[in-house]
Amino acid sequence: MKHRNLFNRTRSSGFLWKGSFAIICSFLVIGTIISWLNPTHTISLDGVYNTPDFYDTFEEVSSLINIKKLQAVIVEELNSQRPFDEKLESFQYLITLDFGGTASLLPQAAQVPKLTASEYSVVDAFAKALSAPSKQNDEASETHLQPLTDLTLRTPVEPYAHYALALYYYDNAQYLEAITAIQSEISTTNLDRARELLISLCLERNDYDAIERLQNDLEFAPFINSRHLQEIALARLDWPQLIKTLIPAAYVNVQPSMAFLAILTAIIWSAFLIRLNDTAAHHSTLLKLALPALILGVLSTHLTILLIFLQEHQFGLTEGDTLITQTIYCFAGIGLREEFLKLLCFVPLLPFLVKKNNELLTLIVASLVGLGFAAEENINYFEMSQGASGIGRFVTANFLHLSLTGLCGLALTRAVQHSGYYINQAINTFGLAVIAHGAYDAFIIVPELFEYSILTTIVFVLIVYQFFATVRGLRRTWTSPFSVTAQFSFSLAVVSGATFATVAWSYGAFPAFLMVATEVITLGILLVVFFREIPESIQ
């Protein structure tokens, strides 16, 4: 395709939406095939709640539960191909969603043919225990617990009975009883998950000496990971051990699919930022600095965790539970902490950028540092949402971090380059970045500010305007054969498709489609802002 033809086509709205549609359709096919290959989908709770507008109090949630849908979900879970210990944990969570306890949620044995008679007897006794009206050691609770206790007294002992009993005690914060039960399960079934649960119980009791003893046991050592050691070090404020476990603990039990999705979004944004550069003379420098900038951004994420430990555990500077303390935490905690550490990790690149004396190059490299922070942070968020937040964070969190760090890095470089002449501008830019970041988080995190959450969108839009206004001021011409708008459009389609495929693996194709479609619709206004601000004319 000739350059002129490519130039025109990639600036044609018809070409953009058709190309994006083709990419998304391809991923729909791929994601659907992927979903068929996973026999153990995570059960979706869509439809369990009669309305999405529910809150955290038991009474409010209970009144919104769709009992028939919840019963269907329980049947689906018990008939899944998951190991029985995982089914017990899922059943415990699902059955306690009905806080009113007015309906029997346990399906009949005929409805769950995937369970053996022995397994069904354990689930039946477990359900009775979970339906106890009180979590205290009163007579009523003991009556409900008796069928499960009886199973543990059989000869031979019913497999998984002690495990279910341990889960019951764990949920009631009766840790000593839970430990006794789980030790009996280990001696009965030699269950690996029981060993993991025993370690968790020791952590709940702050019995760190017991964990260190288990670490010397060959049967338990493989299940004690860096995150456990970090938790112990944090309780003891053992800073050498905290530093030692800082990075390894961040990647414990990370799903490869979530890491892939985070890396994919980082690569796509990196390619977009690099395309913003228009000076061939500095292009090689940008490519050389791109990877170090991303790595420094990743490092800033780990330093943020270390600073959180220092602030919250050493000095007790926590979020609190009032409007004032939570708002202050968003600004002086999250905003200040993250923007400072990202800028600090940008500093090692300053000598190279000062020497090149190109402000667009500086903006892009600084933005890559912010992107590295976002990419690392995304892994944790993707884990929590099973990838469903992929599109949302691609549009919002990634851009928030890269733009704020880019603008702060540019202002700092100007100050250094001109021997402090622009120091006030650098300080003001940094202060505004902290305020913008703090405000963005405050209207999402602080409950009293939820009703004003539209202000989060306004803050974000203002950041988009400022970033692209700076780009337009530094780059005069936009004559690349392949338009930046086309790159952003197709990138968004790829991320949407990859998110669908990732979620489809976990939940199935149809639930994944609903999640992704809802996310795209929710982000509609922000996407319009992006397309309007990218400085190219689209026909």
Side-chain angles (χ1 to χ4, degrees), residues 255-275:
Q255 300 176 50
S257 58
M258 300 301 109
F260 168 77
L261 191 58
I263 292 171
L264 176 65
T265 57
I267 291 173
I268 287 175
W269 266 117
S270 297
F272 180 82
L273 290 171
I274 291 171
R275 281 292 311 282

Side-chain angles (χ1 to χ4, degrees), residues 307-419:
L307 186 54
I308 290 172
F309 293 159
L310 181 65
Q311 289 179 320
E312 298 187 4
H313 295 270
Q314 184 77 59
F315 299 118
L317 303 175
T318 58
E319 184 176 352
D321 54 8
T322 67
L323 170 62
I324 294 176
T325 58
Q326 290 174 344
T327 304
I328 291 174
Y329 182 82
C330 288
F331 287 91
I334 300 173
L336 178 59
R337 180 172 59 215
E338 294 184 2
E339 293 309 319
F340 171 74
L341 289 173
K342 286 186 293 177
L343 192 59
L344 179 65
C345 287
F346 166 73
V347 169
L349 302 174
L350 266 175
F352 304 98
L353 297 170
V354 169
K355 182 179 179 181
K356 289 297 178 181
N357 191 25
N358 182 282
E359 292 194 341
L360 182 58
L361 173 69
T362 299
L363 176 68
I364 295 171
V365 171
S367 296
L368 287 167
V369 174
L371 178 61
F373 180 98
E376 176 66 20
E377 187 182 54
N378 280 343
I379 296 176
N380 184 48
Y381 282 97
F382 292 167
E383 289 276 346
M384 291 189 292
S385 68
Q386 285 293 306
S389 61
I391 302 171
R393 290 195 62 83
F394 173 79
V395 175
T396 58
N398 284 272
F399 186 80
L400 176 79
H401 284 295
L402 73 86
S403 59
L404 292 180
T405 308
L407 294 170
C408 289
L410 175 60
L412 178 62
T413 305
R414 282 174 176 166
V416 172
Q417 204 157 27
H418 296 86
S419 303

Side-chain angles (χ1 to χ4, degrees), residues 201-522:
L201 286 164
C202 290
L203 284 174
E204 290 286 356
R205 294 192 66 239
N206 300 327
D207 192 351
Y208 307 128
D209 293 337
I211 295 177
E212 288 172 342
R213 289 194 298 271
L214 291 174
Q215 198 173 5
N216 296 320
D217 187 327
L218 294 178
E219 290 187 342
F220 283 89
F223 303 103
I224 299 176
N225 56 48
S226 298
R227 192 166 292 173
H228 296 135
L229 299 179
Q230 184 184 73
E231 195 168 335
I232 295 172
L234 188 59
R236 294 172 174 173
L237 290 178
D238 182 353
W239 289 102
Q241 180 72 344
L242 280 173
I243 294 172
K244 180 180 177 181
T245 57
L246 183 63
I247 295 179
Y251 302 107
V252 170
N253 297 327
V254 168
Q255 300 176 50
S257 58
M258 300 301 109
F260 168 77
L261 191 58
I263 292 171
L264 176 65
T265 57
I267 291 173
I268 287 175
W269 266 117
S270 297
F272 180 82
L273 290 171
I274 291 171
R275 281 292 311 282
L276 295 181
N277 177 56
D278 68 337
T279 308
H282 295 289
H283 201 65
S284 60
T285 302
L286 175 57
L287 294 178
K288 290 177 182 177
L289 293 179
L291 184 58
L294 289 168
I295 293 173
L296 287 168
V298 170
L299 176 62
S300 70
T301 312
H302 298 295
L303 293 178
T304 299
I305 295 172
L306 198 61
L307 186 54
I308 290 172
F309 293 159
L310 181 65
Q311 289 179 320
E312 298 187 4
H313 295 270
Q314 184 77 59
F315 299 118
L317 303 175
T318 58
E319 184 176 352
D321 54 8
T322 67
L323 170 62
I324 294 176
T325 58
Q326 290 174 344
T327 304
I328 291 174
Y329 182 82
C330 288
F331 287 91
I334 300 173
L336 178 59
R337 180 172 59 215
E338 294 184 2
E339 293 309 319
F340 171 74
L341 289 173
K342 286 186 293 177
L343 192 59
L344 179 65
C345 287
F346 166 73
V347 169
L349 302 174
L350 266 175
F352 304 98
L353 297 170
V354 169
K355 182 179 179 181
K356 289 297 178 181
N357 191 25
N358 182 282
E359 292 194 341
L360 182 58
L361 173 69
T362 299
L363 176 68
I364 295 171
V365 171
S367 296
L368 287 167
V369 174
L371 178 61
F373 180 98
E376 176 66 20
E377 187 182 54
N378 280 343
I379 296 176
N380 184 48
Y381 282 97
F382 292 167
E383 289 276 346
M384 291 189 292
S385 68
Q386 285 293 306
S389 61
I391 302 171
R393 290 195 62 83
F394 173 79
V395 175
T396 58
N398 284 272
F399 186 80
L400 176 79
H401 284 295
L402 73 86
S403 59
L404 292 180
T405 308
L407 294 170
C408 289
L410 175 60
L412 178 62
T413 305
R414 282 174 176 166
V416 172
Q417 204 157 27
H418 296 86
S419 303
Y421 182 78
Y422 289 102
I423 189 64
N424 287 336
Q425 184 190 68
I427 293 172
N428 291 336
T429 301
F430 178 76
L432 289 172
V434 170
I435 292 171
H437 192 155
Y440 180 89
D441 285 332
F443 293 112
I444 297 175
I445 295 174
V446 182
E448 288 85 349
L449 300 179
F450 285 171
E451 60 182 303
Y452 309 109
S453 59
I454 185 64
L455 295 176
T456 294
T457 302
I458 295 173
V459 170
F460 186 81
V461 169
L462 291 174
I463 294 171
V464 173
Y465 284 154
Q466 183 59 47
F467 182 81
F468 281 109
T470 304
V471 172
R472 281 194 297 269
L474 299 176
R475 175 174 174 172
R476 302 298 181 184
T477 59
W478 297 85
T479 57
S480 302
F482 193 89
S483 75
V484 176
T485 306
Q487 181 172 338
F488 182 78
S489 301
F490 298 155
S491 296
L492 181 63
V494 169
V495 171
S496 300
T499 300
F500 167 76
T502 302
V503 178
W505 169 262
S506 299
Y507 289 96
F510 185 66
F513 177 79
L514 293 179
M515 291 181 193
V516 173
T518 301
E519 192 83 1
V520 172
I521 292 171
T522 303

